[in-house]
Amino acid sequence: MKLELDDPKLTAYALGELPEAERAEVEAALKNDPAARAQVDEIRAMADSLTHELAAEAGPGLTSAGKAAIMGATGSALPLPARTVALPPRKTFWSPVALAASVLLMGSIGLAVWQVNKQKQPERPIVVSDLSEKIGDFPGPELKKVEEATISYGNATVATIVPQTPPPPPPSTSAGIAPAPGWLRRESLAASPRAYQEKIKGVTAGRDLTRLRRLSEQARVQSSQANLADHFEVINPDGTSKLSKETLGETANLGLIEDFEETEEIGAEEYNQIVENAFKRVMQDPLSTFSIDVDTASYSNIRRFLKQQNQLPPKDAIRLEEMVNYFSYNYPNPTNDDPFSVNLEIAQCPWNPEHRLARVGLKGKDVDISQRPKSNLVFLIDVSGSMNDSNKLPLVTAGLKLMVDKLTADDMVSITVYAGAAGLVLPPTPGDQKAKIIGALDQLSAGGSTNGGQGIQLAYKVAADNFIKGGINRVMLCTDGDWNVGVTNNGDLVRLVQEKAKTGVFLTVLGYGMGNVKDAMMEQIADKGNGAYAFIDDIKEANRVLVEQMSGTLQTIAKDVKLQLEFNPAVVSGYRLVGYENRVMAHEDFNNDKKDAGDIGAGHTVTALYELIPVDKKNDVPLVDPLKYQVPSSTTAAADSGEVMTVKLRYKQPDGDKSKLIEVAAKDSGTKYGKASKEFKFAAAVASFGMLLRGSEYRGNATFDSIIELAAEVKDADKSGRGAEFVELVQKAKELTAAKKKK
Amino acid sequence: MTSNDSAGGAWIHAAVDQYEQALTLYALRLTGDVERARDVVQETFLRLCKENPAELDGHLAEWLYRVCRTRALDVQRKEKRMAPLTEAHERTRISTDTDPHDNAEQQESSQRMLKTLSSLPGNQQEVIRLKFQHGLSYREIAKVTQLSVTNVGFLIHTGLKTLRQRMSEPQGLSARA
């Protein structure tokens, strides 16, 4: 049977309304008709949207007099009973303000509640904390003890909060840190970020890079000073209890009582802990190996905290390399047939005048937008309930529309979404059919919980089905990172993304929102998926990433780019890599083409900074005992060359497997800070700002004021004109820090 | 037969609880007036009191909506406001949106969806709402509206098609932050 697309039978089939015989008939016919199948998907998507939108309407209901009249007519003696109070539906009942008011009126409840999301009426759960004195490790606010407390509303007991003791800290292994089984492991309250830092300092980084990297990947300590939601049980009136943070979110919206003066309120966000790279002695650790990173999320995320939330960002959200790389520096284009140029500069270090600062700058070749290869783009959009805020789904669609505007008939766009289930909202459509694409974007609405795993599989499948050989094939994931259905195994997700990257479909991760940013996860899948992670805090950033940087975002020009620097002990005695903490690699992985690394997009600039201790200056880096079975090797003739360092780079062509080696050496001509390039000065200012925000022990003599002064004179170093905004951010951070000190 | 025992009263009571919201919403769209809608629904339930629960088993929704609709149309006819809904007769709906979430934060797209829906012919709107808002099947909708199942299928098909087309028309490329 041939299916006409305009056949009401298709609609009936899509809605499950066909009797069995006809249903089987249509189903058989659909097997050979992808257009009709796509139509069926569209109909179902529309049906879902309609159902969702219409569900928001509520009828006026009958008056009680009316109801009484009805019951009177039954002749029965039953009075209209009061509504049973089970946990009533959230929307009508749990007005947090009303509840808070009633709780406050109750007066007798001594609760200290950890406010989870300050910005809006919380759709996130409010957590009640057991504030035993053991939490002393945390340099946190004064926390009060909580007794077993009852929350009532009217005459109904709504919930009972039973404090539990936090789980004991994980047993220490010889490494000092227990290995973590997976993404969502939560450390006990006792193991504070500070404790980790102490333990890790003892590890000689040069010897044990793989372990350090594993530590930073696995130490999922939330910067919000531990999510206490994990330790509490909420008992409902019907006797059931809910334990996890996820289920708390569904039922208990218990009202707000703020009890402390100063908290790092970042809600349910998750950041990987960052342990800063320490100074190393050249004699002991002459090599520094790391992967490049073109992610920019950290900078826009910090901007979001400072500008939109008037808050200082959590320390682990600050990645110096992403801040420095946010800007577009005026580095020269490559002149040979390498896809990027390598530029080295050494001058005085602004935050420590005794030290030198080396800048390694890469510039990916520009590709004119008209020369962009054909693109097969699959937008994978999170449409779960949490995406409802104005800075999430609406911003996603607004940003994507800007991008769609620049696409051509050679590009194919598909839209897949995921919430409770995954779906194809727009089948592959040529980029010049803008109305159709935009229409599909406009139809999107948020609702349901999130199952990211299914969505990603669907998106990759669509991308694979429409693969363009020699072209750009990319999944663009837009999400607030709210992956908390709990079914998705995050290790599997990472592996999936890695596997797909090998088939030539790359991943770009765009993060949105606040209060639920799963920064750690998003960065990791972007990394493994051969893509970049950007955080979109407003429409201007959407424009920057999706339009201004469209070439760079979409088109990879070099893959798996790794750097290995060797320092000359005759010239420098110590060095420190500024940033790139979670990009550090084992030295032997430099030559191992099987090891994944970062990718450079067209027109991208990548900058790495090294702080160097000249051989004639004081070096406090701890010494290791002399070896028993070996004598220290002596320097070669090359050491007398006066070179400071040799930089080796390896990269692969985007569709290649074998890496190519580039080698460049640098000498230090003793340039004073004043004579350094403006790119150098600006990059240094940005890195300095990051270190100050983090309270880094390596920040030297930098202050907000000194950074403002240095940056202001070179703010045009950023070609995209965002240097002035950077200066404003430093100013804002200065004000917030001063205000915080006053309290 | 009026049920005198408490079991019968409980059945009515359960029906009221379950269908009060949905029926008043349906009646409101048919009559355009809250008070009139309440009257219509009240009368529907009063008639329900006279029915035998066993006979209506499995068909309660269908019965309620049908009676409600008939009553609403009677009321309207008496008030001489509207003509009966037939396939051939198209008229514009009064857009009495009782959307309780009418606040500034409302997503652009959901406003647009409902607005586009209200631009459809009245009979398509009614049938689409019965299907997607009230959850009735084609067969039930046919019984409620006194149309054939094929007619119902055609109205829903056409309505959805028009919705898709209208929703994909550009509403200006200006980005919304």
Side-chain angles (χ1 to χ4, degrees):
Chain A
M1 123 189 217
K2 174 77 182 91
L3 284 172
E4 295 299 314
L5 286 187
D6 196 25
D7 188 337
K9 237 185 204 172
L10 255 191
T11 303
Y13 170 84
L15 301 178
E17 286 281 352
L18 279 184
E20 180 49 39
E22 282 178 278
R23 192 202 63 77
E25 204 184 10
V26 170
E27 192 136 301
L30 277 180
K31 279 195 172 56
N32 304 318
D33 198 336
R37 280 204 303 277
Q39 179 92 314
V40 168
D41 285 333
E42 273 182 61
I43 293 169
R44 284 179 179 156
M46 173 110 272
D48 282 351
S49 300
L50 265 177
T51 309
H52 176 79
E53 290 317 322
L54 291 170
E57 292 187 344
L62 294 172
T63 59
S64 31
K67 283 194 250 198
I70 294 167
M71 295 320 293
T74 66
S76 86
L78 271 183
L80 213 63
R83 271 192 167 277
T84 47
V85 187
L87 272 181
R90 194 177 16 165
K91 267 188 214 165
T92 49
F93 193 76
W94 292 103
S95 154
V97 175
L99 194 47
S102 73
V103 170
L104 284 171
L105 284 173
M106 289 290 150
S108 57
I109 301 172
L111 286 173
V113 179
W114 198 282
Q115 184 180 4
V116 179
N117 187 339
K118 197 176 178 173
Q119 268 329 85
K120 291 183 162 281
Q121 288 298 0
E123 42 174 352
R124 293 283 128 216
I126 305 304
V127 176
V128 178
S129 45
D130 171 5
L131 311 169
S132 65
E133 278 83 20
K134 278 225 187 90
I135 302 181
D137 248 10
F138 280 86
E142 258 295 290
L143 303 174
K144 301 210 310 253
K145 238 196 161 91
V146 67
E147 293 85 27
E148 186 172 343
T150 308
I151 306 224
S152 316
Y153 186 92
N155 292 322
T157 297
V158 158
T160 310
I161 316 292
V162 177
Q164 287 191 331
T165 48
S172 306
T173 61
S174 55
I177 314 287
W183 282 100
L184 296 178
R185 184 176 107 116
R186 287 156 175 109
E187 306 298 330
S188 82
L189 296 175
S192 72
R194 223 106 310 170
Y196 272 116
Q197 200 128 4
E198 295 314 308
K199 286 177 183 155
I200 289 166
K201 255 195 182 145
V203 174
T204 311
R207 304 272 157 81
D208 223 337
L209 286 169
T210 33
R211 186 167 60 170
L212 243 192
R213 189 148 149 251
R214 216 187 314 129
L215 284 176
S216 61
E217 277 181 323
Q218 291 179 347
R220 303 244 184 285
V221 179
Q222 293 188 7
S223 298
S224 63
Q225 301 186 6
N227 189 334
L228 301 174
D230 299 320
H231 308 302
F232 295 91
E233 199 172 25
V234 174
I235 301 174
N236 299 324
D238 62 355
T240 56
S241 71
K242 314 234 175 181
L243 194 50
S244 69
K245 176 178 88 154
E246 285 82 350
T247 47
L248 266 185
E250 285 161 38
T251 58
N253 205 345
L254 300 173
L256 294 171
I257 304 176
E258 201 176 337
D259 227 36
F260 357 89
E261 303 182 79
E262 181 206 313
T263 51
E264 290 250 71
E265 288 155 11
I266 57 164
E269 308 203 19
E270 283 180 16
Y271 296 94
N272 246 340
Q273 198 209 8
I274 299 173
V275 177
E276 291 190 286
N277 294 327
F279 272 100
K280 310 233 200 88
R281 279 190 182 270
V282 177
M283 288 300 272
Q284 286 166 181
D285 293 299
L287 291 179
S288 175
T289 312
F290 66 101
S291 150
I292 61 141
D293 178 1
V294 296
D295 295 347
T296 55
S298 181
Y299 182 80
S300 39
N301 200 13
I302 291 169
R303 177 174 61 200
R304 181 260 293 190
F305 275 106
L306 292 173
K307 273 179 127 168
Q308 295 182 30
Q309 290 183 232
N310 286 310
Q311 254 181 281
L312 291 169
K315 295 178 174 14
D316 291 329
I318 301 169
R319 288 189 288 270
L320 300 183
E321 69 280 7
E322 291 187 22
M323 293 172 70
V324 171
N325 287 331
Y326 180 86
F327 301 93
S328 310
Y329 300 93
N330 199 9
Y331 295 162
N333 267 317
T335 46
N336 54 12
D337 35 53
D338 285 324
F340 53 84
S341 66
V342 184
N343 311 278
L344 307 178
E345 180 181 358
I346 306 179
Q348 187 180 23
C349 176
W351 59 81
N352 193 334
E354 298 289 292
H355 291 176
R356 310 293 291 164
L357 192 63
R359 172 181 67 85
V360 179
L362 309 182
K363 168 82 166 48
K365 68 179 176 200
D366 288 316
V367 172
D368 189 51
I369 200 79
S370 58
Q371 304 290 323
R372 177 170 59 80
K374 299 186 189 183
S375 305
N376 162 25
L377 302 175
V378 180
F379 298 155
L380 171 58
I381 303 179
D382 178 351
V383 295
S384 63
S386 67
M387 291 290 287
N388 237 323
D389 304 335
S390 61
N391 61 347
K392 295 187 189 179
L393 190 56
L395 186 52
V396 173
T397 48
L400 291 180
K401 283 185 205 174
L402 291 179
M403 184 185 201
V404 164
D405 197 36
K406 303 279 179 224
L407 297 177
T408 67
D410 282 336
D411 303 315
M412 286 297 262
V413 177
S414 326
I415 302 178
T416 57
V417 297
Y418 65 96
L424 176 68
V425 165
L426 180 75
T429 305
D432 58 344
Q433 290 188 20
K434 301 188 197 295
K436 191 163 175 217
I437 302 170
I438 286 170
L441 285 172
D442 278 334
Q443 272 181 206
L444 299 175
S445 67
S449 57
T450 320
N451 185 339
Q454 265 193 335
I456 276 204
Q457 277 159 343
L458 175 62
Y460 274 115
K461 179 173 182 312
V462 174
D465 287 344
N466 296 282
F467 196 84
I468 299 178
K469 211 161 170 349
I472 294 172
N473 297 281
R474 199 170 272 276
V475 170
M476 321 234 353
L477 168 61
C478 305
T479 176
D480 63 353
D482 186 4
W483 309 73
N484 70 356
V485 159
V487 179
T488 315
N489 178 330
N490 293 304
D492 285 344
L493 199 52
V494 169
R495 272 187 287 279
L496 167 75
V497 148
Q498 205 165 9
E499 206 183 281
K500 297 297 180 185
K502 294 202 178 84
T503 67
V505 181
F506 296 172
L507 176 72
T508 294
V509 180
L510 303 175
Y512 295 80
M514 46 185 99
N516 211 15
V517 173
K518 301 292 192 261
D519 180 81
M521 150 91 92
M522 297 205 270
E523 202 202 352
Q524 197 185 42
I525 56 173
D527 193 23
K528 297 295 178 204
N530 276 8
Y533 164 41
F535 182 80
I536 313 284
D537 54 340
D538 59 21
I539 193 67
K540 292 196 293 252
E541 182 65 12
N543 193 57
R544 188 190 78 89
V545 173
L546 299 172
V547 176
E548 286 175 40
Q549 298 267 339
M550 180 146 97
S551 273
T553 301
L554 291 185
Q555 191 176 0
T556 304
I557 50 150
K559 202 173 65 171
D560 290 340
V561 183
K562 306 169 185 166
L563 281 91
Q564 185 166 76
L565 281 80
E566 184 187 342
F567 295 95
N568 182 353
V571 181
V572 281
S573 68
Y575 66 89
R576 182 180 107 77
L577 172 57
V578 179
Y580 293 94
E581 277 84 10
N582 60 359
R583 303 292 168 150
V584 169
M585 296 178 82
H587 301 312
E588 58 271 18
D589 286 345
F590 179 72
N591 288 325
N592 185 348
D593 279 354
K594 290 206 178 67
K595 296 288 179 182
D596 213 14
D599 313 307
I600 295 187
H604 273 161
T605 54
V606 182
T607 306
L609 296 172
Y610 276 90
E611 189 175 341
L612 306 174
I613 306 178
V615 76
D616 55 344
K617 301 286 183 203
K618 189 162 74 94
N619 186 338
D620 286 331
V621 178
L623 281 162
V624 174
D625 286 344
L627 298 176
K628 180 173 169 185
Y629 302 105
Q630 299 180 39
V631 288
S633 40
S634 54
T635 53
T636 60
D640 298 329
S641 58
E643 285 166 4
V644 172
M645 61 192 186
T646 294
V647 181
K648 293 195 327 207
L649 291 110
R650 281 201 176 273
Y651 73 91
K652 295 174 192 156
Q653 294 293 342
D655 48 4
D657 283 321
K658 225 171 147 315
S659 66
K660 178 166 172 224
L661 178 65
I662 301 177
E663 203 170 309
V664 188
K667 283 193 184 171
D668 186 354
S669 44
T671 315
K672 289 245 165 258
Y673 179 81
K675 298 282 186 205
S677 71
K678 58 180 179 199
E679 286 76 25
F680 178 97
K681 291 178 177 173
F682 191 79
V686 177
S688 203
F689 179 48
M691 288 195 278
L692 244 143
L693 279 179
R694 253 204 235 164
S696 162
E697 63 185 276
Y698 305 109
R699 65 189 184 275
N701 59 13
T703 60
F704 288 118
D705 282 324
S706 69
I707 296 173
I708 291 173
E709 196 182 313
L710 295 179
E713 69 161 354
V714 290
K715 53 183 194 246
D716 59 334
D718 173 49
K719 290 194 301 183
S720 74
R722 292 181 169 86
E725 183 187 57
F726 169 73
V727 176
E728 280 168 24
L729 286 188
V730 182
Q731 181 64 35
K732 189 70 189 283
K734 175 183 163 197
E735 286 160 14
L736 287 172
T737 311
K740 195 165 152 179
K741 286 206 179 90
K742 278 209 196 100
K743 284 191 190 166
Chain B
M1 306 265 256
T2 319
S3 183
N4 267 338
D5 53 316
S6 54
W11 171 63
I12 300 291
H13 177 69
V16 170
D17 260 1
Q18 190 178 359
Y19 288 101
E20 176 196 347
Q21 293 287 328
L23 279 178
T24 47
L25 180 60
Y26 180 56
L28 181 57
R29 291 211 76 88
L30 291 175
T31 62
D33 181 275
V34 175
E35 290 316 307
R36 215 168 281 142
R38 281 180 169 147
D39 283 348
V40 165
V41 172
Q42 199 171 313
E43 280 158 62
T44 306
F45 281 119
L46 284 171
R47 269 199 56 185
L48 184 65
C49 294
K50 299 187 177 122
E51 296 295 310
N52 183 347
E55 274 165 8
L56 289 188
D57 193 20
H59 304 279
L60 180 58
E62 191 186 295
W63 188 94
L64 282 171
Y65 279 92
R66 181 162 58 77
V67 169
C68 180
R69 185 174 195 273
T70 316
R71 188 81 200 108
L73 291 186
D74 280 350
V75 166
Q76 292 304 91
R77 223 174 277 129
K78 279 188 187 135
E79 305 288 331
K80 289 189 192 7
R81 263 177 217 271
M82 285 164 217
L85 296 157
T86 62
E87 221 178 306
H89 193 102
E90 298 195 351
R91 61 174 160 74
T92 354
R93 254 280 143 237
I94 307 165
S95 200
T96 45
D97 259 331
T98 51
D99 190 352
H101 297 280
D102 214 344
N103 57 46
E105 302 272 11
Q106 177 99 27
Q107 272 193 50
E108 216 175 352
S109 53
S110 78
Q111 291 274 30
R112 198 174 169 214
M113 167 84 73
L114 293 180
K115 232 167 74 165
T116 316
L117 178 60
S118 62
S119 71
L120 293 181
N123 52 0
Q124 288 178 23
Q125 276 192 60
E126 187 188 5
V127 152
I128 282 177
R129 278 174 182 271
L130 282 173
K131 176 91 190 104
F132 298 105
Q133 188 167 47
H134 298 279
L136 300 185
S137 69
Y138 276 19
R139 203 192 51 86
E140 287 171 323
I141 297 175
K143 288 261 162 58
V144 169
T145 56
Q146 310 278 291
L147 299 168
S148 69
V149 176
T150 318
N151 278 356
V152 171
F154 180 79
L155 283 173
I156 291 183
H157 167 80
T158 312
L160 286 184
K161 187 172 83 174
T162 314
L163 265 179
R164 280 203 312 277
Q165 277 164 1
R166 291 201 183 151
M167 293 289 285
S168 67
E169 268 159 24
Q171 46 170 12
L173 283 178
S174 56
R176 182 189 142 189

